[in-house]
PDB file of all heavy atoms in Angstrom:
ATOM      1  N   LEU A  49      -9.811 -43.427  15.914  1.00  0.00           N
ATOM      2  CA  LEU A  49     -10.018 -43.944  14.568  1.00  0.00           C
ATOM      3  C   LEU A  49      -8.923 -43.484  13.623  1.00  0.00           C
ATOM      4  O   LEU A  49      -8.514 -42.322  13.654  1.00  0.00           O
ATOM      5  CB  LEU A  49     -11.370 -43.456  14.020  1.00  0.00           C
ATOM      6  CG  LEU A  49     -11.695 -43.820  12.569  1.00  0.00           C
ATOM      7  CD1 LEU A  49     -11.857 -45.330  12.391  1.00  0.00           C
ATOM      8  CD2 LEU A  49     -12.934 -43.083  12.099  1.00  0.00           C
ATOM      9  N   PRO A  51      -9.018 -43.656   9.602  1.00  0.00           N
ATOM     10  CA  PRO A  51      -9.837 -44.065   8.459  1.00  0.00           C
ATOM     11  C   PRO A  51      -9.036 -44.415   7.211  1.00  0.00           C
ATOM     12  O   PRO A  51      -9.616 -44.754   6.186  1.00  0.00           O
ATOM     13  CB  PRO A  51     -10.711 -42.839   8.209  1.00  0.00           C
ATOM     14  CG  PRO A  51      -9.840 -41.703   8.634  1.00  0.00           C
ATOM     15  CD  PRO A  51      -9.053 -42.213   9.818  1.00  0.00           C
ATOM     16  N   CYS A  52      -7.696 -44.305   7.286  1.00  0.00           N
ATOM     17  CA  CYS A  52      -6.832 -44.529   6.117  1.00  0.00           C
ATOM     18  C   CYS A  52      -5.763 -45.565   6.412  1.00  0.00           C
ATOM     19  O   CYS A  52      -4.627 -45.457   5.950  1.00  0.00           O
ATOM     20  CB  CYS A  52      -6.152 -43.225   5.721  1.00  0.00           C
ATOM     21  SG  CYS A  52      -7.255 -41.845   5.444  1.00  0.00           S
ATOM     22  N   ARG A  64      -9.384 -48.051  16.460  1.00  0.00           N
ATOM     23  CA  ARG A  64     -10.162 -48.646  15.373  1.00  0.00           C
ATOM     24  C   ARG A  64      -9.558 -48.199  14.048  1.00  0.00           C
ATOM     25  O   ARG A  64      -9.089 -47.062  13.923  1.00  0.00           O
ATOM     26  CB  ARG A  64     -11.613 -48.188  15.480  1.00  0.00           C
ATOM     27  CG  ARG A  64     -12.539 -48.866  14.523  1.00  0.00           C
ATOM     28  CD  ARG A  64     -13.981 -48.582  14.875  1.00  0.00           C
ATOM     29  NE  ARG A  64     -14.833 -49.296  13.932  1.00  0.00           N
ATOM     30  CZ  ARG A  64     -16.044 -48.905  13.617  1.00  0.00           C
ATOM     31  NH1 ARG A  64     -16.575 -47.848  14.187  1.00  0.00           N
ATOM     32  NH2 ARG A  64     -16.749 -49.590  12.760  1.00  0.00           N
ATOM     33  N   PHE A  66     -10.018 -48.206   9.630  1.00  0.00           N
ATOM     34  CA  PHE A  66     -10.696 -48.504   8.374  1.00  0.00           C
ATOM     35  C   PHE A  66      -9.618 -48.609   7.304  1.00  0.00           C
ATOM     36  O   PHE A  66      -8.697 -47.792   7.258  1.00  0.00           O
ATOM     37  CB  PHE A  66     -11.680 -47.405   7.970  1.00  0.00           C
ATOM     38  CG  PHE A  66     -12.876 -47.262   8.880  1.00  0.00           C
ATOM     39  CD1 PHE A  66     -13.368 -46.008   9.188  1.00  0.00           C
ATOM     40  CD2 PHE A  66     -13.524 -48.372   9.412  1.00  0.00           C
ATOM     41  CE1 PHE A  66     -14.476 -45.859  10.013  1.00  0.00           C
ATOM     42  CE2 PHE A  66     -14.629 -48.237  10.238  1.00  0.00           C
ATOM     43  CZ  PHE A  66     -15.104 -46.969  10.541  1.00  0.00           C
ATOM     44  N   THR A  67      -9.736 -49.614   6.462  1.00  0.00           N
ATOM     45  CA  THR A  67      -8.788 -49.817   5.373  1.00  0.00           C
ATOM     46  C   THR A  67      -9.476 -49.524   4.044  1.00  0.00           C
ATOM     47  O   THR A  67     -10.671 -49.214   4.011  1.00  0.00           O
ATOM     48  CB  THR A  67      -8.277 -51.272   5.367  1.00  0.00           C
ATOM     49  OG1 THR A  67      -9.357 -52.130   4.981  1.00  0.00           O
ATOM     50  CG2 THR A  67      -7.725 -51.679   6.729  1.00  0.00           C
ATOM     51  N   ILE A  68      -8.745 -49.695   2.972  1.00  0.00           N
ATOM     52  CA  ILE A  68      -9.321 -49.516   1.642  1.00  0.00           C
ATOM     53  C   ILE A  68     -10.508 -50.465   1.438  1.00  0.00           C
ATOM     54  O   ILE A  68     -11.469 -50.145   0.755  1.00  0.00           O
ATOM     55  CB  ILE A  68      -8.249 -49.701   0.546  1.00  0.00           C
ATOM     56  CG1 ILE A  68      -8.773 -49.209  -0.794  1.00  0.00           C
ATOM     57  CG2 ILE A  68      -7.752 -51.136   0.491  1.00  0.00           C
ATOM     58  CD1 ILE A  68      -7.696 -49.056  -1.852  1.00  0.00           C
ATOM     59  N   GLU A  69     -10.457 -51.616   2.086  1.00  0.00           N
ATOM     60  CA  GLU A  69     -11.555 -52.586   1.987  1.00  0.00           C
ATOM     61  C   GLU A  69     -12.824 -52.082   2.676  1.00  0.00           C
ATOM     62  O   GLU A  69     -13.930 -52.450   2.291  1.00  0.00           O
ATOM     63  CB  GLU A  69     -11.130 -53.927   2.587  1.00  0.00           C
ATOM     64  CG  GLU A  69     -10.020 -54.594   1.806  1.00  0.00           C
ATOM     65  CD  GLU A  69      -9.419 -55.804   2.499  1.00  0.00           C
ATOM     66  OE1 GLU A  69      -9.772 -56.083   3.673  1.00  0.00           O
ATOM     67  OE2 GLU A  69      -8.583 -56.477   1.879  1.00  0.00           O
ATOM     68  N   ASP A  70     -12.650 -51.229   3.695  1.00  0.00           N
ATOM     69  CA  ASP A  70     -13.798 -50.665   4.424  1.00  0.00           C
ATOM     70  C   ASP A  70     -14.305 -49.368   3.806  1.00  0.00           C
ATOM     71  O   ASP A  70     -15.399 -48.928   4.114  1.00  0.00           O
ATOM     72  CB  ASP A  70     -13.410 -50.366   5.879  1.00  0.00           C
ATOM     73  CG  ASP A  70     -12.887 -51.577   6.602  1.00  0.00           C
ATOM     74  OD1 ASP A  70     -13.537 -52.628   6.548  1.00  0.00           O
ATOM     75  OD2 ASP A  70     -11.799 -51.459   7.217  1.00  0.00           O
ATOM     76  N   ASN A  71     -13.475 -48.716   2.999  1.00  0.00           N
ATOM     77  CA  ASN A  71     -13.752 -47.388   2.448  1.00  0.00           C
ATOM     78  C   ASN A  71     -14.053 -46.399   3.578  1.00  0.00           C
ATOM     79  O   ASN A  71     -15.210 -46.072   3.863  1.00  0.00           O
ATOM     80  CB  ASN A  71     -14.890 -47.415   1.437  1.00  0.00           C
ATOM     81  CG  ASN A  71     -15.099 -46.049   0.784  1.00  0.00           C
ATOM     82  OD1 ASN A  71     -14.396 -45.079   1.096  1.00  0.00           O
ATOM     83  ND2 ASN A  71     -16.061 -45.960  -0.099  1.00  0.00           N
ATOM     84  N   GLY A  72     -12.991 -45.927   4.204  1.00  0.00           N
ATOM     85  CA  GLY A  72     -13.104 -44.988   5.317  1.00  0.00           C
ATOM     86  C   GLY A  72     -13.913 -43.739   5.023  1.00  0.00           C
ATOM     87  O   GLY A  72     -14.477 -43.132   5.928  1.00  0.00           O
ATOM     88  N   LEU A  73     -14.012 -43.358   3.768  1.00  0.00           N
ATOM     89  CA  LEU A  73     -14.823 -42.189   3.406  1.00  0.00           C
ATOM     90  C   LEU A  73     -16.311 -42.476   3.535  1.00  0.00           C
ATOM     91  O   LEU A  73     -17.098 -41.574   3.796  1.00  0.00           O
ATOM     92  CB  LEU A  73     -14.513 -41.742   1.973  1.00  0.00           C
ATOM     93  CG  LEU A  73     -13.160 -41.080   1.774  1.00  0.00           C
ATOM     94  CD1 LEU A  73     -12.834 -40.971   0.293  1.00  0.00           C
ATOM     95  CD2 LEU A  73     -13.129 -39.718   2.456  1.00  0.00           C
ATOM     96  N   ALA A  74     -16.708 -43.722   3.363  1.00  0.00           N
ATOM     97  CA  ALA A  74     -18.127 -44.093   3.414  1.00  0.00           C
ATOM     98  C   ALA A  74     -18.578 -44.456   4.822  1.00  0.00           C
ATOM     99  O   ALA A  74     -19.771 -44.653   5.047  1.00  0.00           O
ATOM    100  CB  ALA A  74     -18.389 -45.262   2.473  1.00  0.00           C
ATOM    101  N   GLN A  75     -17.657 -44.535   5.758  1.00  0.00           N
ATOM    102  CA  GLN A  75     -17.972 -44.960   7.125  1.00  0.00           C
ATOM    103  C   GLN A  75     -18.298 -43.763   8.024  1.00  0.00           C
ATOM    104  O   GLN A  75     -17.886 -42.637   7.751  1.00  0.00           O
ATOM    105  CB  GLN A  75     -16.793 -45.727   7.725  1.00  0.00           C
ATOM    106  CG  GLN A  75     -16.365 -46.935   6.941  1.00  0.00           C
ATOM    107  CD  GLN A  75     -17.444 -47.995   6.878  1.00  0.00           C
ATOM    108  OE1 GLN A  75     -18.206 -48.208   7.816  1.00  0.00           O
ATOM    109  NE2 GLN A  75     -17.523 -48.675   5.742  1.00  0.00           N
ATOM    110  N   LEU A  76     -18.989 -44.036   9.111  1.00  0.00           N
ATOM    111  CA  LEU A  76     -19.249 -43.030  10.134  1.00  0.00           C
ATOM    112  C   LEU A  76     -17.989 -42.890  10.987  1.00  0.00           C
ATOM    113  O   LEU A  76     -17.478 -43.882  11.503  1.00  0.00           O
ATOM    114  CB  LEU A  76     -20.431 -43.466  11.011  1.00  0.00           C
ATOM    115  CG  LEU A  76     -20.785 -42.537  12.167  1.00  0.00           C
ATOM    116  CD1 LEU A  76     -21.247 -41.172  11.637  1.00  0.00           C
ATOM    117  CD2 LEU A  76     -21.876 -43.164  13.019  1.00  0.00           C
ATOM    118  N   TRP A  77     -17.494 -41.685  11.106  1.00  0.00           N
ATOM    119  CA  TRP A  77     -16.323 -41.435  11.936  1.00  0.00           C
ATOM    120  C   TRP A  77     -16.782 -41.095  13.342  1.00  0.00           C
ATOM    121  O   TRP A  77     -17.683 -40.281  13.530  1.00  0.00           O
ATOM    122  CB  TRP A  77     -15.497 -40.286  11.390  1.00  0.00           C
ATOM    123  CG  TRP A  77     -14.788 -40.571  10.104  1.00  0.00           C
ATOM    124  CD1 TRP A  77     -14.945 -41.644   9.288  1.00  0.00           C
ATOM    125  CD2 TRP A  77     -13.809 -39.735   9.480  1.00  0.00           C
ATOM    126  NE1 TRP A  77     -14.121 -41.541   8.198  1.00  0.00           N
ATOM    127  CE2 TRP A  77     -13.410 -40.376   8.282  1.00  0.00           C
ATOM    128  CE3 TRP A  77     -13.235 -38.512   9.799  1.00  0.00           C
ATOM    129  CZ2 TRP A  77     -12.457 -39.831   7.430  1.00  0.00           C
ATOM    130  CZ3 TRP A  77     -12.295 -37.968   8.950  1.00  0.00           C
ATOM    131  CH2 TRP A  77     -11.904 -38.632   7.784  1.00  0.00           C
ATOM    132  N   MET A  78     -16.128 -41.706  14.312  1.00  0.00           N
ATOM    133  CA  MET A  78     -16.465 -41.480  15.724  1.00  0.00           C
ATOM    134  C   MET A  78     -15.191 -41.140  16.486  1.00  0.00           C
ATOM    135  O   MET A  78     -14.136 -41.720  16.226  1.00  0.00           O
ATOM    136  CB  MET A  78     -17.090 -42.732  16.332  1.00  0.00           C
ATOM    137  CG  MET A  78     -18.362 -43.216  15.641  1.00  0.00           C
ATOM    138  SD  MET A  78     -19.788 -42.190  15.937  1.00  0.00           S
ATOM    139  CE  MET A  78     -20.132 -42.624  17.610  1.00  0.00           C
ATOM    140  N   LEU A  91      -8.243 -38.468  -3.398  1.00  0.00           N
ATOM    141  CA  LEU A  91      -8.517 -38.992  -2.061  1.00  0.00           C
ATOM    142  C   LEU A  91      -8.097 -38.021  -0.968  1.00  0.00           C
ATOM    143  O   LEU A  91      -8.783 -37.882   0.043  1.00  0.00           O
ATOM    144  CB  LEU A  91      -7.825 -40.342  -1.877  1.00  0.00           C
ATOM    145  CG  LEU A  91      -8.383 -41.473  -2.741  1.00  0.00           C
ATOM    146  CD1 LEU A  91      -7.518 -42.708  -2.624  1.00  0.00           C
ATOM    147  CD2 LEU A  91      -9.827 -41.771  -2.359  1.00  0.00           C
ATOM    148  N   GLN A  94     -10.861 -35.530  -0.604  1.00  0.00           N
ATOM    149  CA  GLN A  94     -12.048 -36.109   0.026  1.00  0.00           C
ATOM    150  C   GLN A  94     -11.837 -36.351   1.518  1.00  0.00           C
ATOM    151  O   GLN A  94     -12.732 -36.087   2.328  1.00  0.00           O
ATOM    152  CB  GLN A  94     -12.434 -37.405  -0.670  1.00  0.00           C
ATOM    153  CG  GLN A  94     -12.968 -37.182  -2.067  1.00  0.00           C
ATOM    154  CD  GLN A  94     -13.233 -38.490  -2.807  1.00  0.00           C
ATOM    155  OE1 GLN A  94     -12.808 -39.559  -2.400  1.00  0.00           O
ATOM    156  NE2 GLN A  94     -13.953 -38.395  -3.913  1.00  0.00           N
ATOM    157  N   PHE A  95     -10.667 -36.844   1.901  1.00  0.00           N
ATOM    158  CA  PHE A  95     -10.416 -37.093   3.327  1.00  0.00           C
ATOM    159  C   PHE A  95     -10.311 -35.790   4.109  1.00  0.00           C
ATOM    160  O   PHE A  95     -10.815 -35.696   5.229  1.00  0.00           O
ATOM    161  CB  PHE A  95      -9.178 -37.975   3.528  1.00  0.00           C
ATOM    162  CG  PHE A  95      -9.477 -39.449   3.407  1.00  0.00           C
ATOM    163  CD1 PHE A  95      -9.143 -40.157   2.273  1.00  0.00           C
ATOM    164  CD2 PHE A  95     -10.112 -40.123   4.446  1.00  0.00           C
ATOM    165  CE1 PHE A  95      -9.422 -41.512   2.164  1.00  0.00           C
ATOM    166  CE2 PHE A  95     -10.399 -41.480   4.352  1.00  0.00           C
ATOM    167  CZ  PHE A  95     -10.055 -42.175   3.206  1.00  0.00           C
ATOM    168  N   LYS A  98     -13.735 -34.544   4.738  1.00  0.00           N
ATOM    169  CA  LYS A  98     -14.388 -35.311   5.813  1.00  0.00           C
ATOM    170  C   LYS A  98     -13.843 -34.875   7.179  1.00  0.00           C
ATOM    171  O   LYS A  98     -14.597 -34.810   8.150  1.00  0.00           O
ATOM    172  CB  LYS A  98     -14.219 -36.817   5.592  1.00  0.00           C
ATOM    173  CG  LYS A  98     -15.026 -37.648   6.556  1.00  0.00           C
ATOM    174  CD  LYS A  98     -15.903 -38.650   5.879  1.00  0.00           C
ATOM    175  CE  LYS A  98     -16.702 -39.415   6.932  1.00  0.00           C
ATOM    176  NZ  LYS A  98     -17.537 -40.434   6.394  1.00  0.00           N
TER     177      LYS A  98
END
Side-chain angles (χ1 to χ4, degrees):
L49 175 66
C52 306
R64 187 168 181 207
F66 293 141
T67 69
I68 193 167
E69 294 170 353
D70 303 311
N71 185 0
L73 288 167
Q75 303 297 325
L76 178 64
W77 290 10
M78 301 288 287
L91 293 172
Q94 291 175 347
F95 276 103
K98 188 127 181 182

